[in-house]
Amino acid sequence: MRITSVAEIFGGASGTGYVVGPDLILTASHVVSGDRKVSVRTLGRADWIDADVVWRGSGTADATLLRTRTPLPADAVDPTLQWGSAGTQAQISCRVTGFPAVAVLPDYVRDSDTFLGQTVPGAGFKDGRLVIQSAVGPRDSTGQATPWAGMSGAAVFSSPESYLLGIAEKVPSGYPNNRLKVLPANILLNDPAFRALIGDPAPHSVTTSGSVLRPPYATFPDSHPESWLLEPRYAVVEFVDDGEQLDKLMEWATSVERFSIGAVSGHGGMGKSRLAAELAARLRQSGWDAGFLNTENGQSWREISSEYPLLIIIDYASRFVELLAGLVDRLATDPSSKPIRLLLLERRMGAWWETVNRLTRRSAGHHLGHHVTLHEGVISPEVVGRHMEVATSSLSRKLGVVPISATEIPSDGVGSPLLIHIAVLLALRGTDGGPVTRAELLQALLDREVTRWEAGLAAHKLGHLHITQAAQLTAVASLVSPTRDEAKVLLAELPEVCPPPDVVKVIEWLTDMLGPEEGVLRPIGPDLVVEHLLETLPDLQSLVLRLLAARDKVTAGHRARLLHLLSLSAQTGENSRNALTAALAKYLPELLEKELSGAGSQNVGSLTAALSSSDKTNLALSRTAQRVAATIPAGSVRFAGVRAEVFELAIVRARKRAGNRMGAFPEELLLKERAHAFAELGSLLIHLGISFGHISRWGEAQAATLEAVEIFSALSVKFGNFRDRRELAVAYGHAGKFFRNLDLHDESLRFASRATGLWRALAAEDSDQKVDLAIALENMAKALCSAGRPAEAIPYSAEAIALLRTQVRQGNEDAALELEQAVSGSAHHLMEVGDVDSAWAAIRESATFEGFTVGEEVDAEDLDADALDSVGYLNRLAAELHLRAGNLKEAKSCAVLSASAYAYYVSEFEITYSFRASLQLLLRVLDAAGDKEDASYMRGKLAHLLAEPDPADYDKHFKAFEEFKHVIDSA
């Protein structure tokens, strides 16, 4: 909606219109009576313009099209106007701006006002009208007149998509003050004369499922499971603000930042979704577009935007790691000056958040402005009493029963708002036995549902089905939430659960039991109820396996939801964990292949979470993990988290075969067969360390690598075979690099030195190891230079280069790939000792390997990762040399080329220390050149990339490998 397209109309009565063409304004017919003169003016303009009626709606269509006698202002014409069509059963957020009676100023001029609300499903069905209800609630008015008089003719837009759904109609006296009636656009567009005047537009179908932002609350359906009374989206129970969290969120939302991320974490049932919904409802009252991102609509991630302040809530954010990272990148650079807030809801901030932060190159962490954790079991007696009071009042009113005393409601040990509300609901329903534990409360609620299922089965002529089958059918609907058509296909694949002749009747029964929205079968209730259903379901494992066996019948969205719910339930439930583990053991290769091929619709986050929640002791899953580990690209940022999880699982079987930690294994029992098992374990640990390193989990990477050192050190001493000593050299080398990443330079030097010594011995025995020796020598040089000893680094670097040149002359292709790295590394060491001429010579030689010239622009799209890294690194060295020589113009040119190459590199691959170094160097050059404006802009926009790691951040890494201190000390 364009605010300057809103028009004030006077034609015998005051009304509102909207510009729909260069000289056309749409309004309500009753505003323009008889032959009265018609005057219009667009919002923000003082002068009135004369207009004539060129079309009137027929019958009950209260609509008129006006043509102005003089052209409208250019800014009043909306070139992006889109028409929409919404059904009376949809629930769509709407925005209507006009000139109502309630906005009359003291001088009788009408100011503008905006009606914010959502369409009411089922209202206006007989007369074909839409009804929209305010998000604010009824407004006071004098007498019988609606305060919204004067809004007649105002354009009604879906929000935030901005499809023109129709125009506001005149409402009868006594009509609720918080509602407007809307003449739908499709009635207007059904008139050929109207269509011809406005250019024959193609209306877009606007549905609840097609919206990009769902309203914070939904209309409570007539048919529903009893547990839906407790669903946060229906807000049956009034909101209770524990700990003033809503005020704190409001403070965050209305802060001065243009874009900020907030997070609310906590166990299931603690009220995360309800708290977020209340925040959205409050902000909507202030003119914001606010609600839950419609994650079921794949377009939402790309299309969500607004001309107004915007709050986007994403529930269970860990499901959408890749999509979320893309959204953060887009919103962080959105050119709009309006505030944008992204609120993430999840049970805990863990690896998924670290992945989002990594994929956004730390932008997500930089923009995290508020995080609160709602802790289970810390609700004060006063708050428990308040929840009981509100739940009793709300639920008794909704159920039409007499409220009961709080003393009749068992609450001892109930540690979350949802469980308190369940206790109240059960007490109001007269449930005996006084359940108080979490499991007892959930089971009692589920038992009431089972009773309803049994009655429904009989009513739908399905009395021959066992109640266990009913539970399994409900579990299918809850696990994948299919449409009715999808349910037909899925149930046909489950004859043991649903006999083929019963498929149609079962779908009708599920529809009756679960009250579908727009033909989609929804879960039975809040996630805790769904999780309890899964945890108590007989033969859940077989059901999950049969669903996944359906393959093409199960969509990527179905698989993601199934894995997500099982992952949630598996965190506390053994039945769900066993089912999840069995599913992964059998279908991990297939699930992984779909993601690797791109057919998985970016569900890597769900797969990672599932692997993390599985039974880490299961040997069948470990065997599968070993089988697929090698298929996961080692350099893929996207699959780095999955790769780490897979190798962690693969190690389980190898560790069991080895039988113990090497440090605790008696040397006299280390026979050949057991040695093979330990060698396999050690190799997997090296790969695990590399995988952890790719996701910057340096402490865990080092712990795995040091254990590998421990294993291969013992094997080398005991057996002395070539393979074990080679693996030990590899492990020493990786450990040295991880220590360097953690700024532990003494340890890094010690391990790099041990690796170099081992590779010298290995290369003496086998000349094929000379390239690896050269790599070890260069790593030793880097360790020395990082420790502030560049002069000592140069001999190692020179030896590495000489070795590689010899290997290149002998036709070794691997050596050719490493030589460029060694030469560029030597350039840095030479620069640090002040040998400028030799440093320049090394820079130029290194550049020739990748075919570019330092200081000249390159086409980044034509370069691979190694070439981009070289362009960035060598131009950084050149910029540093120019800066030291006082050549500021050349320094700036090279520094910009370096930062640009790395910027492209990290957009395709991952952030590196070198990228940060190139940005820091560019700032130094700008500061030296006195370019304060550009430097200030960089420091503001790229603060998240410029930030150095805090030494305190290293503590968690150190703790991860502290049990291997003996390995470090013995190196």
Side-chain angles (χ1 to χ4, degrees), residues 279-478:
L279 174 67
R282 185 181 290 193
L283 289 173
R284 281 160 65 90
Q285 294 178 19
S286 302
W288 287 55
D289 277 327
F292 290 82
L293 188 76
N294 183 8
T295 56
E296 295 173 14
N297 175 9
Q299 302 302 314
S300 297
W301 302 92
R302 292 186 293 274
E303 295 181 359
I304 182 67
S305 62
S306 178
E307 302 171 23
Y308 303 90
L310 177 64
L311 169 70
I312 306 166
I313 304 167
I314 300 180
D315 209 352
Y316 287 114
S318 67
R319 280 186 60 190
F320 312 104
V321 168
E322 295 171 275
L323 293 167
L324 177 56
L327 181 64
V328 169
D329 279 338
R330 182 166 73 82
L331 297 180
T333 56
D334 191 289
S336 170
S337 60
K338 300 293 184 182
I340 300 176
R341 299 292 179 265
L342 182 62
L343 184 60
L344 309 179
L345 311 181
E346 192 45 88
R347 294 195 175 179
R348 58 190 177 198
M349 300 285 278
W352 71 270
W353 171 248
E354 293 174 7
T355 302
V356 171
N357 200 29
R358 188 176 70 256
L359 293 176
T360 59
R361 297 158 299 282
R362 292 192 289 187
S363 175
H366 175 70
H367 289 289
L368 183 63
H370 182 77
H371 175 215
V372 60
T373 300
L374 307 179
H375 293 288
E376 187 175 31
V378 295
I379 306 177
S380 68
E382 292 77 18
V383 173
V384 170
R386 177 63 179 148
H387 272 290
M388 280 200 171
E389 176 188 342
V390 168
T392 301
S393 172
S394 302
L395 292 171
S396 61
R397 186 167 57 249
K398 186 70 177 179
L399 296 171
V401 299
V402 177
I404 61 177
S405 169
T407 59
E408 300 179 50
I409 305 170
S411 63
D412 292 342
V414 176
S416 74
L418 177 59
L419 294 177
I420 296 170
H421 300 168
I422 292 175
V424 171
L425 175 60
L426 292 171
L428 288 171
R429 284 306 197 190
T431 300
D432 296 326
V436 290
T437 68
R438 170 190 171 118
E440 288 171 338
L441 286 167
L442 292 169
Q443 187 59 53
L445 183 60
L446 197 57
D447 287 343
R448 291 190 57 80
E449 192 62 21
V450 169
T451 301
R452 192 171 74 99
W453 295 345
E454 289 180 315
L457 288 173
H460 286 274
K461 299 181 180 180
L462 293 168
H464 55 282
L465 292 184
H466 192 274
I467 194 60
T468 298
Q469 289 173 283
Q472 290 174 320
L473 291 166
T474 308
V476 170
S478 298

Side-chain angles (χ1 to χ4, degrees), residues 46 76 237 239 300 342 458 606 692 711 716 814 824 868 906 926 968:
V237 178
F239 176 69
S300 297
L342 182 62
S606 294
F692 279 141
I711 288 172
S716 297
D814 291 338
S824 64
L868 278 170
V906 299
L926 294 174
I968 301 171

Side-chain angles (χ1 to χ4, degrees), residues 656-683:
K656 186 173 181 63
R657 291 185 64 223
N660 210 329
R661 273 272 302 275
M662 177 61 82
F665 199 85
E667 183 182 348
E668 62 273 14
L669 296 181
L670 189 57
L671 304 178
K672 192 172 183 179
E673 182 179 343
R674 186 58 57 87
H676 284 311
F678 270 114
E680 179 187 36
L681 173 60
S683 296

Side-chain angles (χ1 to χ4, degrees), residues 648-727:
E648 198 167 16
L649 285 165
I651 281 171
V652 171
R653 181 168 172 264
R655 191 179 295 283
K656 186 173 181 63
R657 291 185 64 223
N660 210 329
R661 273 272 302 275
M662 177 61 82
F665 199 85
E667 183 182 348
E668 62 273 14
L669 296 181
L670 189 57
L671 304 178
K672 192 172 183 179
E673 182 179 343
R674 186 58 57 87
H676 284 311
F678 270 114
E680 179 187 36
L681 173 60
S683 296
L684 288 171
L685 284 165
I686 290 174
H687 284 290
L688 178 61
I690 294 170
S691 300
F692 279 141
H694 284 156
I695 54 179
S696 301
R697 289 163 63 175
W698 306 116
E700 292 160 278
Q702 194 63 289
T705 307
L706 290 174
E707 185 177 355
V709 169
E710 181 182 54
I711 288 172
F712 287 113
S713 293
L715 293 178
S716 297
V717 170
K718 176 80 173 181
F719 301 102
N721 66 63
F722 188 90
R723 179 185 180 279
D724 291 337
R725 287 184 290 131
R726 190 182 190 283
E727 291 285 73

Side-chain angles (χ1 to χ4, degrees), residues 100-231:
V102 74
V104 174
L105 300 173
D107 59 0
Y108 300 106
V109 172
R110 292 196 177 201
D111 204 343
S112 59
D113 199 352
T114 297
F115 184 103
L116 298 163
Q118 56 198 43
T119 57
V120 181
F125 181 80
K126 289 186 176 180
D127 66 357
R129 297 312 192 248
L130 299 175
V131 175
I132 55 177
Q133 181 165 298
S134 171
V136 183
R139 298 181 67 154
D140 294 333
S141 61
T142 303
Q144 295 297 310
T146 172
W148 297 110
M151 289 287 271
S152 294
V156 178
F157 282 89
S158 65
S159 179
E161 300 89 353
S162 286
Y163 288 108
L164 177 53
L165 301 180
I167 60 173
E169 282 192 321
K170 184 177 182 179
V171 296
S173 177
Y175 198 74
N177 290 340
N178 66 333
R179 288 190 171 191
L180 291 178
K181 294 190 74 173
V182 180
L183 177 67
N186 61 289
I187 291 180
L188 304 176
L189 296 174
N190 283 338
D191 188 318
F194 180 82
R195 293 179 65 90
L197 285 165
I198 64 168
D200 197 25
H204 178 90
S205 178
V206 180
T207 64
T208 302
S209 61
S211 64
V212 298
L213 200 66
R214 292 189 183 277
Y217 293 124
T219 301
F220 196 70
D222 294 330
S223 177
H224 58 82
E226 200 162 64
S227 58
W228 281 14
L229 291 163
L230 311 172
E231 280 274 18

